[in-house]
Amino acid sequence: MDPECSRLLPALCAVLADPRQPVADDTCLEKLLDWFTAVTEAGSSLLLLQENPCLVELLFHVLKSQDLSSRILSFSLRLAGIFAAQEDCFQYLQQGELLPMLFGEVGPLGGAAWTAPAVRSGWIQGLRTLAQHPSALHFLAACDIPQVTQALSVLTTAFGHCHGLWTQGLWVRLSPLVARLLEKDPVPASHSLVDLLLSVARSAPSSDRDLWETLAQTLSHLSPTQAGPLALGILKLQDCFIHRLPKDRRDSWSSPAQSRAGFILRTCSAAFCHLPSGLTLWILGHPVPQVLRTQAFGILLQPLACVLEAAAQAPGPPGLLEGAAADSMMVDTLLSSKSACVGLLCCALAHLGLLQPLPQRPSPWPQAPLLGAAVTILRLCSGSAAPTSDVGGRLCAILVGCGRVQRAALDFLGALSQGTGPQELVTQVFSVLLEYLVSPESSSMVLKKAFQATLRWLLSSPKTPGCCDLDPHTQLFLRELLPVLQKRLCSPCWEVRDSVLEFLTQMTRHCGGQAGFRQALLASEVPELTKQLLRDPESYVRASAVTATGQLSSWGLCATPAIPECPGAQQESLLVELLHILSTDSEGFPRRAVMQVFTEWLRDGHADVAEDAERFVAGVLQAASRDLDWEVRAQGLELALVFLEQLLGQRGSHCPYAVALPETAPPGVLDQALQVLCRVQLFEFAFRALFDCDRPVAQKSCDLLLFLRAKAAPCGSSQEAGDSPNVASVEATLQRWQAGEQGQPLGYLEPGAVVALLRSIDLEGLRDTLAESSDHVEKSPQSLLQDMLAAVGVLGENEADCY
Amino acid sequence: MSRYPDLCLNPKECVCQEMGTVDPSIFWALLFKGAFYGMKKREVGEKYCLSGHPTLPCNVLKFKSTTIMLDCGLDMNSTLNFLPLPLVQSPRLSNLPGWSLKDGNAFLDKELKECSGHVFVDSVPEFCLPETELIDLSTVDVILISNYHCMMALPYITEHTGFTGTVYATEPSVQIGRLLMEELVNFIERVPKAQSASLWKNKDIQRLLPSPLKDAVEVSTWRRCYTMQEVNSALSKIQLVGYSQKIELFGAVQVTPLSSGYALGSSNWIIQSHYEKVSYVSGSSLLTTHPQPMDQASLKNSDVLILTGLTQIPTANPDSMVGEFCSNLALTVRNGGNVLVPCYPSGVIYDLLECLYQYIDSAGLSSIPFYFISPVANSSLEFSQIFAEWLCHNKQTKVYLPEPPFPHAELIQTNKLKHYPSIHGDFSNDFRQPCVVFTGHPSLRFGDVVHFMELWGKSSLNTVIFTEPDFSYLEALAPYQPLAMKCIYCPIDTRLNFIQVSKLLKEVQPLHVVCPEQYTQPPPAQSHRIDLMIDCQPPAMSYRRAEVLALPFKRRYEKIEIMPELADSLVPMEIKPGVSLATVSAVLHTKDNKHILQPPPRPAQPTGGKKRKRASDDIPDCKVLKPLLSGSIPVEQFVQTLEKHGFSDIKVEDTAKGHIVLLQEAETLIQIEEDSTHIICDNDEMLRVRLRDLVLKFLQKF
């Protein structure tokens, strides 16, 4: 600990222990706790207590004092928890019997202070924090915890921190208690119980059959709504799937999410190779019994099985969703009330949606029945399903028009796009999606989800072999979709217009090159309507319209030219129109969008930009430099960087650990590039940004100039410009800018002067300063202690920081 | 008032000679609070249904000797069977081929024309009137109007049935109702039709016609439109009322209009006597549109709630439909097409114009002209601005600023909205395309809309957007086929949907709900949608056209006032805590459905010192006042008492109403029931009296 802090600590403890000097600000106590957490994480708590006996004194004092505020009591309990989290420190505190006094019956638990919620919260947090080592677990076992929920909560944390034998030991004592809880109907504190059991399961050794039995019992005892999270938790348990998975499948994950998951798993599996074999076995060796997994999966599937069965026109084949035959209890729950039905279905859909992309999801995954269920639920919600059964009719009456279920089902349907399904079902998926997109009854949120799901299905739909184009079904769907987009683009609800534009942007980004899509789009009025929305009254819509037209234009799909003999006229006018938005739009979002489009255009070599990139960059930077929105200025720097890279070559690896010398540009190229950069006034823009009042802008500019300096390294000695009067005056101007007087222009800069300036400015120093957060001075613990003391008048006023 | 019969030992009710049965529970409870008590009546309410259309109701309620007609809607769907009346000569319509029977017989070809496979009557359109045979309409005392759409049949009733009563309606209902009638008369009268078709109505011939003509009901009762003279005469019978105003009908019934939130001046009605309350809910809305919000609280504690006028399109949310309307309108106009909106001259059009006011600038439609064409367009737009007290709170506050409550004033000022009485005259000079035209009639059979359908129907650039839910848009379009113009159906019906009804019923909790049969089952096309029907307990009672329904009143009491001096003379005796009784002898005086208990005339002072009993025809018989009895007889104790008094061989039998105590030896039977005890013995008066006295021991006397 900082000696200055150590010096201030006794006074602070005295203040805290003094009921006549109440601490006015709760956040100070929170900050203190954060600080102590950081200090104990960095070093020994025992040493801290030994060096600062005032802390233990504070804890003892708190116990004795009768009239202390509940917040100080709560603070002390939490503080004790932080110290006792380290086993040696725990023993030290135990020597004085401090912990039983703080957390046991003799402490606040049995006193009047217990009525204060803050004290109860502090007590439980303290216990949760300290439950990290075997001694603490013994201590917990001896503690008589008054309420089931609190007990479970503490125990859950305990299991989170202990492994192997300790878990087993604790579980042996705990399992009879859990069994007793399960005898009650309804099961009390089910949420906490689920958390506890999952926590135990995550840390339990594989051989504990008793645990799996308890989990199975719990699954069957809990109500369908309560059992869902437990079922999901069980299915998510990392069993030894890595070993079970065939290698070819491990490598064949294609989606980004799966790739990420695959990467992590491969990394983990590599890491396990270096572990002692016993430990590896322990980590990987607790396969969840298949029976339990089937039971858990059945619970998640059951609500959907019920829906499928209720809505079926004729009795379906048995075991449509294996292990999830619709039972009467589930039907009763679904039909008991609207809230129960909606809650259960939303949970089931969300849980299955979470499970879908995971590699440890149950196999075989019932993709087709799940697709069928999602489609059926959506049809019941829209009223287009016509169930013949009584249950189906009642379900329809409950679900019709229910936005929450619609949103959940659309999300789930979107998630299912990662798998395949029989063509008939896929056709049904597209048909129900179209139904939602067309229906005037779809709310803007539902519509947004419908667009998202549609996009996912369109992007995952198979391409026609050989011609890289959309398959006939998709093309047919697109033809039906475009009139809907047209109408939706005219919606009076801005959220709807915005969703369409977002959808259009994404579709164009991914399918802009496909003939079928291009043909359908160009035959519609969508491009023209999109362009009209550049003048939409709602700024979000304008921003989305900018992005969409930018994307359309990149693929040559913008509205057809008004004058056929001048094919370039329309495109050029779009550039002008976007520049106009950049310089005149009153809202930031459209201007930011324009900058992003321009950056993309420059990066991709958009024809109109490439024609005269220099003029384009000059114009954009000029507009961006005047912008009041820091994100626009920051995006301006991004555009400048793209331009720089195009002139001087790519930046090196972004990886901070990559060992590579900066690549310098050949002198000829560099001179030429510097000339260009001076002409487009990139330096004026970058230097101005360097002293920008918004830190991210300044940081970005600093990075850009550092990159440029690295590229310009060889030019150094040959230039004498450093001494020229031009450089001196520029430096003077820059100093004034740094001081906040940015009125004066920099004037035209010679390339030589630029290089000299780059050398003379301490860019590294500037970067380090900028890297520190703006409140780093005020955030120091010393400052915190001083503030707290100053607040109660222990320190002189002038010693306090001013916020 | 008579005394209790001799053996009425446990009285629950006593008989009132003049009027019926007095309920003692009411009597006891109220006697000492004020000066009235209830009298049980044998009369029940009856409801005659004269219209089968749930949103254009016409019902007659017989209630407490008054006959009240609830609404007077006119079903105009019959006009869909007729050819449109073009304002400008239409070669297409006039050249339609005549229809002939399958065997080639063409005797109907002058009356019936064929168009794209449909057959239409080529005649002045006719309307299907409410039932006039079910009940003698000259006996109707009053007609209560709930909104301007539900009074369109008024001239038929008031002018042709011998009706001599009064019509009650709010001022906006009358004024806007007059505009609707005026427009209707104008639309039909300005296109005189030389011929009138009647042959096809012959039942034998009608059977041979194709659907839907074949299935049209009661075509013989269909009538031509009324005249302006009849309209004026009918409207002159209306008495204006304000919300919450209490109107006494013959002292028997009080009627009160309440805001129903659906249209300017639209009302629900409370019809109540002292002990019965019937609520009539017709065309109500809980949405925030321009009218005053619905008054739900006053509907509470109804014995019967008659529920009509729910939304006709329960699956279409009005907000979504407005969105759809705007999107399609913008899309059409942006492509250079025209938009035609067939509509009524009042109502939803105000809300549509308000939405467009907010939308047109943002959608870049500022330069597009909006035309509102109706003979009453000007009056409608102006009326809407002056009925401030009938508007929702937001609009009312605007009036005090002062600003016009509806933004269409600004649209008119800025020339974005122009209105004309017809397509003739100024309109033809100002007409600019592309444009948006609001005009009637929504049936597409008469009015200026016919002209625009003919004019724009051939181009796919144009769109007709149906916003009024009263007519099937496909049937409305039938005589215009083949049609190239786009048709969009965005019915905007702000009336209650079934979810709102369910909440309303939970809130106001009527004892019984009565509604058209259409509301008690899912729509025929969506039989699985059990959410699209009224769900209440006990199940709603339903009715259909030409049906008479007895209303289930549970309590049937009359209020009787007691004159203060009579009340003063009563000497209550507490028979158990909180319950006191007193006997009363009085004269019941009934006049104008009001009942008053007056003190009996004092008997003439006896002449001399001779005490003499005197009876009079006017004075109730109060000579031999026996004490009144109350209480119940515990059978076991009674049997023990009998045994104590020497009776043996006693047998007790339980009956449905009480017990029979059988004294076998004495061949006597004592029948103990809840409200009477009978001693049946053979000519042994001594025994009877002995037994009676034993019975009386268990009862209280006062």
Side-chain angles (χ1 to χ4, degrees):
Chain A
M1 184 187 286
D2 190 318
E4 181 57 21
C5 291
S6 271
R7 192 182 64 77
L8 291 168
L9 212 48
L12 181 79
C13 287
V15 167
L16 292 176
D18 187 353
R20 290 164 304 165
Q21 292 180 320
V23 179
D25 187 4
D26 265 356
T27 54
C28 289
L29 296 177
E30 292 295 329
K31 284 179 188 168
L32 261 185
L33 287 170
D34 287 347
W35 175 53
F36 278 117
T37 309
V39 170
T40 53
E41 275 169 3
S44 158
S45 301
L46 181 61
L47 206 62
L48 178 71
L49 292 192
Q50 283 166 343
E51 282 173 359
N52 301 283
C54 60
L55 290 169
V56 179
E57 280 163 24
L58 171 69
L59 297 179
F60 271 113
H61 185 85
V62 164
L63 282 171
K64 276 182 254 159
S65 180
Q66 294 300 312
D67 42 5
L68 261 186
S69 73
S70 55
R71 62 171 82 161
I72 295 295
L73 195 50
S74 170
F75 165 80
S76 307
L77 290 165
R78 291 169 67 189
L79 188 63
I82 292 171
F83 294 144
Q86 289 181 12
E87 199 160 7
D88 53 352
C89 191
F90 176 88
Q91 309 287 9
Y92 175 73
L93 291 173
Q94 275 296 65
Q95 283 167 17
E97 288 293 312
L98 186 61
L99 292 175
M101 282 196 277
L102 278 170
F103 293 102
E105 283 287 348
V106 287
L109 184 57
W114 190 248
T115 50
V119 174
R120 295 200 299 276
S121 157
W123 181 86
I124 200 141
Q125 286 186 53
L127 273 187
R128 287 182 73 147
T129 319
L130 69 81
Q132 314 232 6
H133 42 80
S135 307
L137 301 179
H138 274 301
F139 172 71
L140 280 180
C143 257
D144 192 10
I145 300 175
Q147 283 178 17
V148 176
T149 315
Q150 288 168 347
L152 294 175
S153 173
V154 172
L155 289 167
T156 304
T157 320
F159 279 106
H161 294 298
C162 67
H163 304 292
L165 289 174
W166 284 108
T167 309
Q168 210 163 15
L170 206 54
W171 175 242
V172 167
R173 298 188 61 172
L174 200 62
S175 65
L177 300 173
V178 172
R180 235 176 290 156
L181 281 181
L182 290 178
E183 283 166 12
K184 295 184 179 162
D185 188 27
V187 177
S190 60
H191 280 298
S192 307
L193 182 64
V194 166
D195 287 347
L196 171 71
L197 290 176
L198 287 174
S199 185
V200 176
R202 282 185 206 111
S203 52
S206 60
S207 56
D208 202 336
R209 193 177 296 164
D210 178 49
L211 173 65
W212 304 132
E213 273 170 20
T214 307
L215 283 173
Q217 276 171 19
T218 314
L219 278 179
S220 51
H221 275 78
L222 291 178
S223 72
T225 330
Q226 295 165 332
L230 181 60
L232 177 68
I234 290 170
L235 291 167
K236 281 170 80 176
L237 284 176
Q238 295 286 333
D239 73 0
C240 51
F241 70 95
I242 295 173
H243 296 290
R244 286 203 205 139
L245 214 60
K247 190 182 178 305
D248 57 344
R249 212 172 131 201
R250 257 183 273 164
D251 296 330
S252 67
W253 291 327
S254 53
S255 81
Q258 283 174 332
S259 307
R260 249 196 320 280
F263 172 71
I264 293 165
L265 291 168
R266 277 195 296 275
T267 316
C268 291
S269 110
F272 290 146
C273 298
H274 304 290
L275 288 173
S277 59
L279 194 54
T280 317
L281 270 178
W282 175 77
I283 294 174
L284 296 176
H286 66 100
V288 182
Q290 190 55 40
V291 184
L292 183 63
R293 282 174 61 85
T294 309
Q295 186 189 358
F297 196 39
I299 281 171
L300 295 186
L301 294 177
Q302 247 183 12
L304 305 194
C306 275
V307 171
L308 265 184
E309 198 173 304
Q313 296 296 333
L320 201 58
L321 285 173
E322 203 182 333
D327 71 352
S328 60
M329 189 182 148
M330 178 60 69
V331 173
D332 290 346
T333 313
L334 278 174
L335 296 179
S336 63
S337 72
K338 180 164 179 158
S339 58
C341 181
V342 169
L344 195 56
L345 280 179
C346 286
C347 283
L349 290 165
H351 289 152
L352 288 166
L354 286 172
L355 206 55
Q356 198 276 341
L358 299 182
Q360 72 266 41
R361 71 179 192 193
S363 177
W365 178 253
Q367 172 80 359
L370 287 176
L371 269 181
V375 169
T376 306
I377 290 174
L378 285 170
R379 291 220 164 116
L380 285 171
C381 288
S382 70
S384 64
T388 45
S389 73
D390 177 45
V391 176
R394 284 159 69 192
L395 264 179
C396 183
I398 289 175
L399 291 179
V400 76
C402 178
R404 237 184 97 198
V405 176
Q406 288 176 340
R407 293 197 298 271
L410 284 165
D411 271 343
F412 181 56
L413 192 64
L416 289 177
S417 68
Q418 300 309 308
T420 52
Q423 184 55 48
E424 188 194 330
L425 262 175
V426 175
T427 309
Q428 281 185 34
V429 167
F430 278 111
S431 131
V432 82
L433 285 172
L434 193 65
E435 187 192 320
Y436 268 76
L437 295 175
V438 170
S439 168
E441 298 301 319
S442 300
S443 71
S444 56
M445 270 310 288
V446 167
L447 209 56
K448 193 182 175 77
K449 297 275 181 197
F451 272 121
Q452 285 169 351
T454 307
L455 182 73
R456 294 184 73 171
W457 275 93
L458 279 174
L459 296 185
S460 69
S461 64
K463 310 281 178 289
T464 307
C467 71
C468 261
D469 207 351
L470 304 167
D471 74 321
H473 290 103
T474 314
Q475 286 200 29
L476 192 70
F477 175 77
L478 268 183
R479 271 203 291 279
E480 288 179 277
L481 179 67
L482 282 160
V484 180
L485 296 188
Q486 276 169 211
K487 191 186 74 181
R488 295 291 187 190
L489 283 172
C490 296
S491 167
C493 174
W494 72 262
E495 289 94 336
V496 172
R497 300 196 296 273
D498 200 48
S499 299
V500 184
L501 290 170
E502 279 175 9
F503 171 79
L504 185 65
T505 307
Q506 292 303 324
M507 266 310 280
T508 312
R509 195 183 301 280
H510 292 99
C511 304
Q514 290 174 5
F517 175 74
R518 297 178 63 89
Q519 215 174 351
L521 193 71
L522 287 172
S524 76
E525 289 145 25
V526 169
E528 177 57 34
L529 288 167
T530 307
K531 199 154 173 277
Q532 284 182 21
L533 290 181
L534 290 174
R535 291 184 291 276
D536 197 276
E538 182 59 52
S539 63
Y540 296 113
V541 179
R542 287 202 300 279
S544 299
V546 166
T547 316
T549 43
Q551 194 57 238
L552 286 171
S553 170
S554 295
W555 290 96
L557 288 166
C558 228
T560 44
I563 317 151
E565 57 270 21
C566 323
Q570 195 75 18
Q571 292 281 350
E572 194 178 285
S573 79
L574 178 63
L575 180 62
V576 173
E577 197 157 349
L578 293 187
L579 265 175
H580 182 72
I581 291 173
L582 180 63
S583 38
T584 58
D585 202 300
S586 57
E587 298 281 339
F589 303 109
R591 302 201 305 270
R592 290 178 202 170
V594 171
M595 285 305 295
Q596 272 159 3
V597 166
F598 282 163
T599 311
E600 215 164 300
W601 279 7
L602 184 65
R603 188 178 286 133
D604 299 346
H606 188 286
D608 300 308
V609 173
E611 219 170 68
D612 191 350
E614 215 178 298
R615 211 179 82 188
F616 168 76
V617 172
V620 176
L621 290 186
Q622 199 187 5
S625 67
R626 288 193 300 263
D627 207 292
L628 294 175
D629 188 323
W630 71 264
E631 287 196 42
V632 173
R633 299 196 298 275
Q635 190 63 42
L637 287 161
E638 186 66 36
L639 181 130
L641 191 62
V642 170
F643 189 55
L644 269 182
E645 285 176 348
Q646 285 179 349
L647 289 177
L648 298 168
Q650 290 286 315
R651 273 204 293 181
S653 160
H654 289 277
C655 177
Y657 306 107
V659 184
L661 289 169
E663 285 176 40
T664 51
V669 175
L670 185 73
D671 281 345
Q672 229 172 358
L674 286 174
Q675 292 284 358
V676 173
L677 295 175
C678 287
R679 277 203 299 276
V680 300
Q681 295 199 307
L682 185 139
F683 293 110
E684 165 127 15
F685 179 69
F687 283 131
R688 220 177 255 280
L690 194 62
F691 305 117
D692 200 289
C693 53
D694 288 294
R695 210 151 53 91
V697 179
Q699 275 178 315
K700 221 172 174 82
S701 172
C702 199
D703 288 347
L704 181 131
L705 291 172
L706 277 166
F707 165 64
L708 192 64
R709 197 180 66 183
K711 288 282 181 189
C715 312
S717 53
S718 63
Q719 301 289 331
E720 304 300 328
D723 302 328
S724 73
N726 181 259
V727 173
S729 84
V730 169
E731 273 180 340
T733 311
L734 287 182
Q735 271 163 13
R736 274 199 294 280
W737 281 7
Q738 192 163 16
E741 299 165 35
Q742 297 216 347
Q744 197 182 340
L746 209 57
Y748 182 74
L749 278 176
E750 292 291 337
V754 169
V755 176
L757 272 173
L758 285 176
R759 293 230 181 83
S760 70
I761 300 172
D762 178 16
L763 289 171
E764 280 88 355
L766 206 55
R767 184 177 60 187
D768 294 344
T769 316
L770 288 169
E772 286 179 332
S773 68
S774 56
D775 62 347
H776 68 277
V777 178
E778 289 77 9
K779 258 174 76 180
S780 72
Q782 186 184 334
S783 160
L784 173 68
L785 300 184
Q786 282 172 341
D787 282 354
M788 289 182 74
L789 291 171
V792 289
V794 173
L795 290 181
E797 276 301 314
N798 51 356
E799 287 180 58
D801 283 331
C802 294
Y803 288 113
Chain B
M1 185 185 285
S2 73
R3 289 165 292 109
Y4 288 117
D6 196 8
L7 288 170
C8 177
L9 297 174
N10 190 10
K12 280 276 167 151
E13 59 180 24
C14 57
V15 176
C16 173
Q17 276 178 336
E18 289 83 359
M19 293 299 294
T21 311
V22 172
D23 187 323
S25 62
I26 300 289
F27 174 76
W28 292 337
L30 301 177
L31 186 58
F32 304 111
K33 280 190 180 170
F36 55 92
Y37 67 98
M39 181 159 42
K40 207 166 181 179
K41 290 268 291 179
R42 302 215 183 275
E43 184 189 309
V44 291
E46 274 182 336
K47 197 177 94 46
Y48 297 74
C49 173
L50 311 186
S51 158
H53 199 301
T55 34
L56 296 168
C58 183
N59 296 306
V60 172
L61 179 70
K62 278 200 169 185
F63 178 55
K64 291 208 57 175
S65 69
T66 52
T67 306
I68 304 168
M69 179 179 275
L70 304 169
D71 278 328
C72 206
L74 182 65
D75 187 349
M76 297 199 205
N77 275 292
S78 55
T79 60
L80 294 175
N81 295 296
F82 292 78
L83 269 191
L85 297 179
L87 263 183
V88 179
Q89 173 72 17
S90 159
R92 186 186 71 87
L93 286 172
S94 43
N95 293 332
L96 285 175
W99 182 79
S100 50
L101 290 169
K102 274 179 195 160
D103 60 6
N105 194 333
F107 74 102
L108 281 169
D109 69 344
K110 289 277 182 295
E111 290 200 353
L112 303 180
K113 303 285 179 191
E114 196 168 350
C115 174
S116 299
H118 290 82
V119 177
F120 298 95
V121 181
D122 188 10
S123 173
V124 183
E126 293 178 342
F127 304 101
C128 179
L129 271 51
E131 274 307 313
T132 50
E133 304 297 320
L134 193 65
I135 183 172
D136 179 3
L137 293 177
S138 68
T139 63
V140 171
D141 297 312
V142 291
I143 301 177
L144 307 180
I145 299 297
S146 53
N147 62 66
Y148 46 78
H149 285 296
C150 292
M151 59 186 281
M152 296 297 280
L154 202 58
Y156 293 117
I157 305 295
T158 59
E159 306 309 299
H160 299 285
T161 62
F163 171 79
T164 53
T166 312
V167 184
Y168 291 100
T170 61
E171 192 183 357
S173 294
V174 178
Q175 297 302 350
I176 299 172
R178 178 195 294 276
L179 295 182
L180 293 182
M181 292 181 183
E182 200 179 316
E183 188 193 59
L184 185 67
V185 173
N186 188 306
F187 280 163
I188 292 183
E189 285 187 351
R190 74 184 174 180
V191 190
K193 200 96 175 163
Q195 63 157 3
S196 175
S198 57
L199 262 181
W200 71 276
K201 291 186 183 176
N202 183 309
K203 275 191 178 163
D204 294 329
I205 295 173
Q206 197 195 350
R207 270 191 290 122
L208 306 172
L209 305 180
S211 284
L213 278 178
K214 184 173 71 177
D215 310 317
V217 287
E218 297 179 54
V219 290
S220 58
T221 65
W222 289 10
R223 291 287 173 269
R224 286 175 159 220
C225 188
Y226 33 71
T227 63
M228 236 8 247
Q229 199 183 355
E230 288 168 325
V231 170
N232 288 330
S233 173
L235 297 182
S236 71
K237 296 182 173 73
I238 297 181
Q239 193 167 319
L240 299 182
V241 289
Y243 288 148
S244 303
Q245 185 182 334
K246 292 179 169 55
I247 303 135
E248 286 282 338
L249 303 182
F250 318 114
V253 178
Q254 195 181 57
V255 294
T256 313
L258 306 171
S259 173
S260 77
Y262 167 55
L264 278 176
S266 67
S267 338
N268 292 322
W269 289 87
I270 301 288
I271 303 142
Q272 58 188 339
S273 65
H274 296 300
Y275 294 105
E276 294 92 14
K277 179 173 174 181
V278 178
S279 296
Y280 174 59
V281 173
S282 164
S284 302
S285 177
L286 291 170
L287 302 180
T288 315
T289 55
H290 59 271
Q292 241 188 57
M294 179 181 177
D295 177 355
Q296 294 184 66
S298 306
L299 300 171
K300 284 185 180 171
N301 304 319
S302 302
D303 295 283
V304 172
L305 187 135
I306 303 171
L307 188 59
T308 66
L310 304 186
T311 173
Q312 299 188 70
I313 319 288
T315 50
N317 169 6
D319 282 338
S320 317
M321 289 299 117
V322 170
E324 198 72 358
F325 171 80
C326 289
S327 308
N328 284 296
L329 184 143
L331 197 58
T332 305
V333 174
R334 278 179 181 169
N335 287 333
N338 301 293
V339 176
L340 178 62
V341 187
C343 62
Y344 293 116
S346 179
V348 172
I349 186 170
Y350 303 142
D351 297 320
L352 282 181
L353 289 175
E354 185 155 358
C355 287
L356 287 172
Y357 168 79
Q358 291 159 1
Y359 178 64
I360 49 178
D361 284 337
S362 66
L365 304 175
S366 321
S367 58
I368 302 297
F370 287 74
Y371 301 119
F372 176 22
I373 304 169
S374 162
V376 297
N378 187 33
S379 315
S380 166
L381 293 173
E382 285 184 357
F383 269 139
S384 64
Q385 306 284 21
I386 60 166
F387 289 128
E389 59 174 300
W390 306 89
L391 293 171
C392 63
H393 179 70
N394 275 351
K395 296 218 178 298
Q396 275 193 26
T397 46
K398 281 196 169 183
V399 179
Y400 297 110
L401 287 177
E403 271 176 25
F406 286 94
H408 56 239
E410 197 185 317
L411 288 175
I412 295 169
Q413 244 173 14
T414 53
N415 265 337
K416 286 176 182 163
L417 174 67
K418 294 179 180 184
H419 55 89
Y420 306 88
S422 101
I423 52 166
H424 299 301
D426 289 346
F427 173 71
S428 41
N429 301 328
D430 299 348
F431 183 44
R432 210 153 43 82
Q433 300 189 75
C435 65
V436 180
V437 171
F438 294 87
T439 189
H441 186 270
S443 66
L444 305 191
R445 291 303 178 271
F446 35 82
D448 302 83
V449 74
V450 176
H451 174 72
F452 287 101
M453 283 303 296
E454 293 287 318
L455 185 70
W456 291 341
K458 294 172 208 77
S459 166
S460 61
L461 279 179
N462 303 324
T463 307
V464 52
I465 309 181
F466 293 87
T467 56
E468 300 289 354
D470 285 353
F471 301 93
S472 146
Y473 78 105
L474 290 174
E475 282 183 48
L477 288 169
Y480 299 94
Q481 299 296 350
L483 198 66
M485 88 193 287
K486 285 195 282 285
C487 304
I488 306 288
Y489 185 52
C490 307
I492 298 168
D493 196 333
T494 57
R495 286 171 283 204
L496 297 176
N497 62 31
F498 289 99
I499 298 170
Q500 292 163 335
V501 165
S502 165
K503 281 186 189 155
L504 176 74
L505 293 181
K506 271 187 196 141
E507 179 77 24
V508 305
Q509 296 197 322
L511 290 181
H512 296 277
V513 175
V514 174
C515 65
E517 65 170 353
Q518 290 93 330
Y519 297 160
T520 57
Q521 57 216 19
Q526 293 163 295
S527 56
H528 65 287
R529 293 291 299 270
I530 53 172
D531 56 314
L532 302 183
M533 58 186 270
I534 290 178
D535 178 24
C536 65
Q537 279 309 323
M541 297 175 69
S542 67
Y543 61 83
R544 60 172 78 172
R545 189 180 166 107
E547 210 171 65
V548 182
L549 202 69
L551 296 183
F553 292 124
K554 209 172 179 186
R555 304 182 309 174
R556 297 182 293 274
Y557 298 108
E558 271 302 332
K559 179 174 154 186
I560 301 177
E561 280 184 26
I562 296 182
M563 297 292 283
E565 56 268 39
L566 179 63
D568 275 348
S569 70
L570 300 179
V571 185
M573 195 175 79
E574 193 166 46
I575 56 156
K576 60 177 174 182
V579 181
S580 298
L581 288 178
T583 54
V584 58
S585 298
V587 174
L588 180 64
H589 185 260
T590 297
K591 188 183 173 189
D592 288 345
N593 290 310
K594 285 201 164 36
H595 315 290
I596 302 169
L597 278 181
Q598 295 175 339
R602 288 183 184 283
Q605 288 299 315
T607 49
K610 228 177 171 184
K611 278 190 181 176
R612 192 164 68 89
K613 285 181 184 170
R614 180 181 161 175
S616 161
D617 289 345
D618 297 329
I619 307 168
D621 180 15
C622 48
K623 289 176 293 186
V624 270
L625 270 177
K626 288 187 181 175
L628 297 177
L629 305 167
S630 69
S632 59
I633 301 165
V635 179
E636 281 180 22
Q637 287 176 33
F638 180 58
V639 171
Q640 284 169 11
T641 311
L642 288 173
E643 283 169 348
K644 222 182 271 176
H645 283 80
F647 294 99
S648 57
D649 204 8
I650 301 169
K651 206 173 154 192
V652 179
E653 280 177 21
D654 289 345
T655 65
K657 289 181 176 175
H659 310 277
I660 292 175
V661 180
L662 205 61
L663 308 178
Q664 295 185 34
E665 206 171 289
E667 290 185 357
T668 296
L669 205 128
I670 304 167
Q671 197 177 351
I672 302 171
E673 289 182 356
E674 198 182 12
D675 50 3
S676 65
T677 302
H678 290 91
I679 301 165
I680 302 161
C681 58
D682 264 352
N683 296 323
D684 188 347
E685 182 61 9
M686 287 256 299
L687 176 64
R688 190 192 74 84
V689 172
R690 225 176 114 206
L691 287 173
R692 185 198 66 184
D693 291 344
L694 287 178
V695 168
L696 287 177
K697 276 189 181 172
F698 287 93
L699 299 172
Q700 288 175 299
K701 303 173 197 63
F702 65 96

